[in-house]
Amino acid sequence: MTYQRILLKLSGEALMGNLGYGIDPKVVAEIAEDIAQVVAQNVQVAIVVGGGNIFRGVQASAKGMDRATADYVGMIATVMNAMTLQDALERMNVPTRVQTAIAMQEVAEPYIRRRAIRHLELGRVVIFGAGSGNPFFTTDTTAALRAAEIDAQVIFKATKVDGVYDSDPVTNPNARRYESLNYNHVLTNDLRVMDGTAIALCKENNIPIVVFNLFERGNIIRAVKGEKVGTIVGGFCDVN
């Protein structure tokens, strides 16, 4: 295996599949199956999951809701997703812990860095819920922060597209998919791989980001093995 400890970033939208809202149990089970394959290879897996399938703080704020309040509601939505994913993993006999940045002691552990690392060392998947615990920060930034804290070797950002393009491939059939990029190119050209704060954190801590299509079965294990999947940000790049 190329990596021993990874952080997987899942969007909330990924969990709803083709539904317009909420969680599709079939999709969650398929994601859990792919993660279980990685764990079976003795790779330590941490996960940050978004909450956009249930509630988006930014959108609610744009409609008049207080931004901080909206962001806190969004953080709670990520915990719902984290618990759902935990259930799917444990039904496959993959030991899993949810840690939250907002105390919810009846349903999850509080986020404690050393405890999270110990769980990983013992072969447990750790899912980080409630974002960073602070409003005005995205779950992308949380992924970069947690990856740095736990010394993850890479962030895998599993999305609905098969990498990073120079323009929208849906509207531009001639859009070019990058094989690799550096952090500065992403920031300068606003490529929306992750938000700027997340990219800056990854650059500062030299954490590569691999962006790939979550819905192509087996992509997670292929990425962990170091196969060419999607686009890699950081390290050797074809765009400087």
Side-chain angles (χ1 to χ4, degrees):
M1 284 291 162
T2 300
Y3 304 105
Q4 284 74 52
R5 180 178 295 167
I6 68 167
L7 188 138
L8 177 65
K9 171 60 171 66
L10 297 174
S11 67
E13 289 90 339
L15 303 186
M16 68 182 180
N18 293 321
L19 302 178
Y21 175 85
I23 299 168
D24 185 335
K26 181 176 182 294
V27 170
V28 175
E30 290 175 350
I31 294 171
E33 286 176 9
D34 285 351
I35 295 170
Q37 288 182 2
V38 176
V39 175
Q41 299 299 315
N42 295 318
V43 176
Q44 298 174 18
V45 180
I47 302 171
V48 170
V49 61
N53 56 319
I54 299 172
F55 189 89
R56 276 195 169 276
V58 173
Q59 291 179 355
S61 175
K63 295 178 180 178
M65 189 174 184
D66 175 75
R67 174 61 191 275
T69 300
D71 281 354
Y72 281 119
V73 175
M75 291 179 215
I76 294 169
T78 72
V79 178
M80 296 168 66
N81 285 338
M83 293 174 64
T84 299
L85 185 57
Q86 178 188 38
D87 176 75
L89 284 166
E90 293 197 330
R91 279 188 279 112
M92 295 177 187
N93 298 315
V94 178
T96 307
R97 299 291 186 272
V98 173
Q99 291 196 345
T100 61
I102 298 173
M104 299 184 185
Q105 59 200 25
E106 286 78 13
V107 296
E109 298 179 0
Y111 171 65
I112 299 173
R113 174 180 171 270
R114 285 179 175 269
R115 181 179 291 176
I117 291 173
R118 185 57 178 157
H119 285 320
L120 294 170
E121 291 172 342
L122 292 173
R124 299 164 183 155
V125 172
V126 180
I127 306 174
F128 299 119
S132 67
N134 300 292
F136 305 102
F137 290 92
T138 67
T139 50
D140 278 350
T141 296
T142 300
L145 175 63
R146 296 290 184 253
E149 287 181 306
I150 66 171
D151 296 320
Q153 296 166 291
V154 64
I155 294 174
F156 290 125
K157 181 167 184 183
T159 70
K160 295 181 178 180
V161 295
D162 61 347
V164 181
Y165 287 79
D166 59 0
S167 59
D168 188 348
V170 176
T171 58
N172 179 13
N174 297 315
R176 175 196 174 195
R177 183 171 68 85
Y178 295 108
E179 294 292 329
S180 55
L181 292 163
N182 65 33
Y183 306 107
N184 289 336
H185 186 87
V186 171
L187 290 169
T188 302
N189 293 276
D190 195 25
L191 292 180
R192 305 286 181 177
V193 176
M194 300 173 91
D195 66 81
T197 304
I199 295 295
L201 266 170
C202 289
K203 178 182 177 182
E204 182 178 343
N205 293 281
N206 196 29
I207 303 171
I209 307 159
V210 181
V211 183
F212 60 89
N213 186 346
L214 172 66
F215 297 106
E216 185 174 335
R217 298 299 303 276
N219 261 358
I220 298 176
I221 189 68
R222 284 192 286 271
V224 171
K225 289 180 177 179
E227 296 179 21
K228 286 189 176 181
V229 177
T231 302
I232 184 167
V233 179
F236 176 78
C237 304
D238 58 6
V239 173
N240 296 306

